[in-house]
Amino acid sequence: MSEDHTIKGLSPFGTQYNGSNLRIAIVHTRWNKVVIDALLVATLRKLREAGVKEGNIVIQSVPGSFELPLACARVISASQIQAYSTATDLLSGANSLLSLDSRPNTPAIASSKPANIPSRPFDAVIAIGVLLKGSTMHFEHISEAVSTGLMRVQLDSGVPIIFGVLTALADVQALIRAGIGGRDGKQGHNHGEDWGAAVVEMGSQARRWAQGKFA
């Protein structure tokens, strides 16, 4: 039978998450560009619908999926360095103001904090890639390594990572899962929408859990 009776996709959730205060990173590969571009567009659309600000979305690219775990780990670390630098500069600026000469003609000393440095690390990350099975064991080795690597990064860092890596047995499967159709005319569903919704939910939940809250 050609009819597909499988039930897939992210089910609706009762809570409507507001992403306006979240900072999200997207790390994507450049292999299979047509599929990657479609997935990225859908992911960004869903983030904007959830209220995530453009300035709070950082997009980085890497050559292939094997590089995703290291890239995600370094991106998370970089955002923590940014947040720490901001806090240090703000404290330095406050101390400078406290030590100013009180004479009326003394010019104010501004903080050295750059205006474009964000004040918090990433709340969650999406790793986007496409792996297509070929005639060798390359597919199996890379799929396992990437899955294990990304899980390790999120457990070690405490930052949720959404697994946006398609592991397709043929290019038509990847096209359908990017919502741009296959040779049989079946358009399919773009999983980037699911990843965008999932990252807002997990970013919001992780922030709440870090504060010792469950609701």
Side-chain angles (χ1 to χ4, degrees):
M1 295 178 62
S2 60
E3 187 177 357
D4 187 358
H5 292 285
T6 58
I7 301 174
K8 298 180 180 178
L10 184 64
S11 61
F13 193 62
T15 302
Q16 188 71 25
Y17 290 98
N18 182 355
S20 59
N21 292 323
L22 297 180
R23 190 171 182 228
I24 304 296
I26 301 174
V27 183
H28 69 85
T29 65
R30 296 192 300 275
W31 280 97
N32 305 300
K33 185 177 185 300
V34 172
V35 176
I36 291 294
D37 287 350
L39 294 169
L40 187 59
V41 167
T43 301
L44 289 170
R45 181 172 62 247
K46 185 59 68 172
L47 291 181
R48 294 178 186 121
E49 289 176 1
V52 181
K53 298 181 177 65
E54 294 288 344
N56 285 336
I57 303 173
V58 174
I59 303 174
Q60 300 285 284
S61 73
V62 294
S65 293
F66 191 72
E67 290 76 45
L68 284 173
L70 176 63
C72 288
R74 291 295 182 263
V75 162
I76 291 170
S77 295
S79 73
Q80 293 168 343
I81 291 171
Q82 285 182 337
Y84 175 77
S85 298
T86 301
T88 301
D89 288 337
L90 286 173
L91 180 60
S92 175
N95 289 337
S96 297
L97 290 172
L98 288 174
S99 63
L100 286 177
D101 191 325
S102 59
R103 290 175 297 177
N105 294 328
T106 302
I109 300 177
S111 167
S112 60
K113 171 184 174 291
N116 62 342
I117 296 295
S119 59
R120 61 174 295 107
F122 292 122
D123 293 288
V125 178
I126 310 174
I128 299 179
V130 178
L131 291 169
L132 297 177
K133 184 173 175 59
S135 57
T136 69
M137 290 293 293
H138 178 269
F139 173 82
E140 285 79 2
H141 290 309
I142 299 299
S143 297
E144 177 67 21
V146 173
S147 302
T148 303
L150 290 175
M151 178 59 75
R152 176 182 172 182
V153 171
Q154 74 167 348
L155 291 177
D156 288 348
S157 66
V159 177
I161 296 180
I162 304 305
F163 188 80
V165 181
L166 296 181
T167 52
L169 301 180
D171 57 355
V172 65
Q173 293 180 343
L175 291 168
I176 290 173
R177 285 156 181 78
I180 51 181
R183 287 186 291 268
D184 60 357
K186 184 178 180 181
Q187 184 176 3
H189 168 69
N190 193 318
H191 286 281
E193 297 180 5
D194 302 327
W195 304 333
V199 80
V200 172
E201 177 179 341
M202 288 304 298
S204 301
Q205 292 279 55
R207 182 184 288 195
R208 184 179 298 114
W209 295 331
Q211 298 170 348
K213 301 176 181 178
F214 295 106

